[in-house]
Amino acid sequence: MPLTSLAGVIASVSVFAVAQGLSYPLFTFLMQKHGMSPGEIGLSAAMTPLGMMASALLVPGFIRRLGAGRLAVACALSAALLFVAIGLMQNWFAWYPVRFLLGAVVNPLYILGEVWMIALSPPDRRGRFMGVFNAVTGIGFAVGPLTLALVGSDGWAPLVVGIAGFFGCAMLLAVTTGRLAGFDDGEPAKGVLHFWKVAPALLLAVVVSAAVQQGTYSLLPVFGASYGLAEATLAALITTMSVGNIVLQLPLGLMAERLDARGMIVACALINLACALLLPALVTTPAVWPLLLVMGGTGYGIYTMALVELGNRFSGSTLVAGNAAFGLMWGAGGILGAPAAGFAMQNVGPAGLPGTMAILTASLVIFALYRARARAG
């Protein structure tokens, strides 16, 4: 793989992560200043994954009609313009459709980046390749909240990172994606929803990973504020989760090569479940920092392990459809996680956030073990 093409793929994914990492806490802080409730904030956060779901269904068709490279460039430019719209429209109601459109245009960037990396990864080293790839994504998630910690949540400053990043990504993709292979292998196209029949446990893993990650990113500021933590501390806590995303993906990927990616999905879910249960007791103690480090790494690690298993089982146009299905399920998880945790917090207090995360990860463990037993039988 040429280094310039590698840079294009990494850019397309890292700016997606910056946008996600920046937008969720930024909107939370802005909406808190407007006096909105946790439930309303969670509902707003669901707009981005809803847009991701809508576009995921269309990605395979757009790739066939436009080509992967042209689609990626168009999406990067559109995302930059949407970040401009966020700054121009200081109206919380108008942000709902903008967040939907942002999800719709960044999702193809993420899908294409993953498919290119999976297809080019040697099978016996796929775990480490995807671990490094998702570590880069984690860096993008860390940059977003870190921007807020440095410049605050007011004005254009936190938006400039996203605008410049997406424009730069579009330019880089325009000159590099022509070197990357297409995905037309002559096989009949599989529908995105077809993967519910062939890989339900993998898709549930994506749903749970997205729900845990996006729900926590969106509502950890509300959870921490209820314990009296300052805004700068809350942004730093989110950044700590992002650091976990970065430093743990490669070790998890290496373990998936030596062990089994399916088993690693269950292991990551169990660790994340334990972290969620411990969070209320440790949130005001120094132990919260390593706890969130591990929670962030294993929560995202569920997704990394699912990607490794996807690459092990599928290729070509089927891989594209499978990864688009992952994008759809990631959006579904985002819609599920943030609103569910937000309304749970309204009804049972701050413990609603970790409680929701624990229920989600427990459901994945139970279903994955059930599927493993059914295959063995």
Side-chain angles (χ1 to χ4, degrees), residues 354-368:
T356 302
M357 303 302 108
I359 291 171
L360 289 167
T361 49
S363 68
L364 173 59
V365 171
I366 293 170
F367 185 72

Side-chain angles (χ1 to χ4, degrees), residues 218-286:
S218 297
L219 291 167
L220 185 61
V222 181
F223 175 82
S226 68
Y227 287 88
L229 301 180
E231 181 175 307
T233 301
L234 297 174
L237 288 175
I238 297 172
T239 300
T240 300
M241 286 189 62
S242 299
V243 172
N245 292 350
I246 298 166
V247 301
L248 293 184
Q249 299 316 302
L250 178 57
L252 290 172
L254 291 171
M255 291 178 69
E257 292 176 4
R258 298 183 180 183
L259 302 174
D260 174 67
R262 293 177 184 174
M264 287 299 298
I265 291 173
V266 174
C268 288
L270 284 171
I271 295 171
N272 204 266
L273 168 62
C275 291
L277 294 175
L278 289 171
L279 183 59
L282 301 181
V283 65
T284 58
T285 72

Side-chain angles (χ1 to χ4, degrees), residues 13-91:
V13 175
S14 62
V15 295
F16 164 86
V18 169
Q20 293 289 84
L22 172 72
S23 65
Y24 279 102
L26 174 61
F27 276 112
T28 297
F29 291 142
L30 293 177
M31 290 181 172
Q32 281 182 312
K33 292 174 183 177
H34 280 80
M36 296 177 66
S37 69
E40 290 171 326
I41 294 172
L43 185 61
S44 174
M47 293 298 102
T48 296
L50 183 62
M52 294 170 66
M53 290 182 66
S55 67
L57 293 169
L58 304 175
V59 167
F62 274 118
I63 290 176
R64 288 192 297 270
R65 291 175 177 84
L66 300 178
R70 286 194 292 271
L71 177 62
V73 171
C75 288
L77 290 173
S78 298
L81 294 176
L82 286 169
F83 263 73
V84 174
I86 292 169
L88 293 175
M89 295 187 296
Q90 292 296 312
N91 182 307

